[in-house]
């Protein structure tokens, strides 16, 4: 690769890996519109059914915590082909499952594959794309990944209306096949730097237990009781993980960067944005189907226009950050998001299909404007040595926040017999979280990093 040119092989590698990341995220949300149907098929509650999404996101989050080590330990080809094999097996297991537990196993395998592919895509871009084209290709990657969450429900709705829920899995395999054909022609390995430290498996296991215990404990609140054993496990393993990370000489995640207030005050809003994004994607199709009798296909389509516009405007939003800095897009985006949530909250009993579609467009545009800027500005204020860890933490936090968002919103929806009441309570929570984000920004912009 010349200084100012990107090779065709690199372009092929990025496209092939982006397709795998796209497939993984689309598979995550494609099942949301099937919940009313699958609750009948498998005889489970909406609280149990949300695990179809939550366990997928949990698997992605756990694998992503290892992404920095995996990419230094294994070649790009090994990581990519492994993700394709695991995703294919998981998709077949899910699509052919006759039991709910087997369905969840398929989702775990799919999530594992996505957790390998998505960090690999960004790693290829950072390693192989010249600086003068970095923004373009990062924008391409972000656009692909931002389209997938809301294309999923549209795809899932069309599949279940025309062919049945199993075909949501089976037809998905077309994209990995295309991705594989591109990879065979273009994929090549980069030179690897020898690892200077061993991987800290103990820290990894402690963090995996921490995330899993919290998610299960939150899910079990559906029963009306607190599982003190699980919450205790979460607190203990979190404490042990922090202790291990601060004392171990082995390699995992450098949590010391949380000492930087500018980073911490950015990653928390980032988590809350993703919590609302995936939680909203979960409840909106169910709200329309159960509350207004909208078909699965139409309910899934509700999310599509907002997502497409969000993807189209992403490069423009990036230019706003480049020319105006972080403050303007963060505040404007968050205030637009807050306005959309307040309108939804007021109209929740009568909103129906069209108002939901229009207000979701506002919701998405506001979130996309602030969400991407939050990530960019936080990592930009880290040193070169800290950025790989900061990026890994953002990616892990993004997936786990989605899993937690699905779990909590399902808990709220499941605790109310009327889905409109559940939607009302969900929107109230989202309004409160958005106000918290604005407070976080106020604190962030008072830190030394932003005042120098």
């Amino acid at each position: 690769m010349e200084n100012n040119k990107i090779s065709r092989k690199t372009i092929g590698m990025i496209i092939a890996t982006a397709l795998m990341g796209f497939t993984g995220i689309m598979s995550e949300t494609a099942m949301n519109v099937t919940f009313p149907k699958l609750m009948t098929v498998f005889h489970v509650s909406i609280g149990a059914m949300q695990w179809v999404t939550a366990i997928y996101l949990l698997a992605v989050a756990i694998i992503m915590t290892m992404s920095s080590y995996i990419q230094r330990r294994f070649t790009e080809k090994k990581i990519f082909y492994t993700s394709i094999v695991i995703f294919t097996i998981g998709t077949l297991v899910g699509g052919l499952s006759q039991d709910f537990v087997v369905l969840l196993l398929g989702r775990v395998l799919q999530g594992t594959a996505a957790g390998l592919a998505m960090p690999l895509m960004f790693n290829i871009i950072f390693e192989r794309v010249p600086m003068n084209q970095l923004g373009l290709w990062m924008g391409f990657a972000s656009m692909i990944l931002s389209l997938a969450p809301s294309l999923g429900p549209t795809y899932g709705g069309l599949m279940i209306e025309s062919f049945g829920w199993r075909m949501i899995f089976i037809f998905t395999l077309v994209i990995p096949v295309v991705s594989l054909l591109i990879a065979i022609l273009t994929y090549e390995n980069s030179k690897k730097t020898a690892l200077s430290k061993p991987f800290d498996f103990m820290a990894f296991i402690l963090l995996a237990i921490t995330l899993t215990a919290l998610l299960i404990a939150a899910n079990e609140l559906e029963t009306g009781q607190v599982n003190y054993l699980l919450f205790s496990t979460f607190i203990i393993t979190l404490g042990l993980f922090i202790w291990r990370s601060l004392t171990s000489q082995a390699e995992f995640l450098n949590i010391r960067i949380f000492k930087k207030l500018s980073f911490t005050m950015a990653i928390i809003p980032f988590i809350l944005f993703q919590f609302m994004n995936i939680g909203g994607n979960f409840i909106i199709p169910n709200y329309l189907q159960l509350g207004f009798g909208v078909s699965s296909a139409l309910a899934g389509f509700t999310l599509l226009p907002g997502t497409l516009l969000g993807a189209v405007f992403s490069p423009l939003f990036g230019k706003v950050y480049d020319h105006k800095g972080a403050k303007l897009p963060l505040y404007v985006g968050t205030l637009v998001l807050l306005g959309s949530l307040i309108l939804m909250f007021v109209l929740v009993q009568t909103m129906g299909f069209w108002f939901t579609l229009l207000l979701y467009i506002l919701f998405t545009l506001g979130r996309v404007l602030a969400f991407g800027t939050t990530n960019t500005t936080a990592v930009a204020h880290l040193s070169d040595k800290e950025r790989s860890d900061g990026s890994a933490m953002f990616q892990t936090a993004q997936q786990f926040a989605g899993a937690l968002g699905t779990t909590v919103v399902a808990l709220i929806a499941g605790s109310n017999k009327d889905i409109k009441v559940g939607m009302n309570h969900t929107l109230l929570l989202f309004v409160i979280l958005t106000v918290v984000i604005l407070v976080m920004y106020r604190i962030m912009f008072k830190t030394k990093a932003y005042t120098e």
Side-chain angles (χ1 to χ4, degrees), residues 250-303:
E251 183 176 359
F252 187 45
L253 290 174
N254 176 21
I255 66 170
R256 289 180 177 85
I257 60 177
F258 281 101
K259 291 181 179 179
K260 295 188 174 183
L261 198 61
S262 59
F263 179 83
T264 303
M265 291 299 106
I267 197 170
I268 293 174
F270 182 87
I271 290 169
L272 297 180
F273 279 130
Q274 183 68 354
F275 178 97
M276 290 187 282
N277 179 34
I278 302 301
N281 286 352
F282 168 82
I283 198 170
I284 287 174
N286 291 285
Y287 160 73
L288 291 174
Q289 288 179 82
L290 300 175
F292 296 92
V294 174
S295 69
S296 299
L298 205 57
F301 177 79
T302 310
L303 308 178

Side-chain angles (χ1 to χ4, degrees), residues 15-29:
I15 293 173
T17 316
L19 285 173
M20 277 303 299
F22 173 87
T23 308
I25 297 177
M26 188 179 76
S27 298
E28 167 209 327
T29 57

Side-chain angles (χ1 to χ4, degrees), residues 424-438:
N424 182 272
H425 292 169
T426 298
L427 290 168
L428 179 59
L429 173 62
F430 285 4
V431 168
I432 294 170
L433 293 179
T434 306
V435 172
V436 171
I437 289 171
L438 289 170

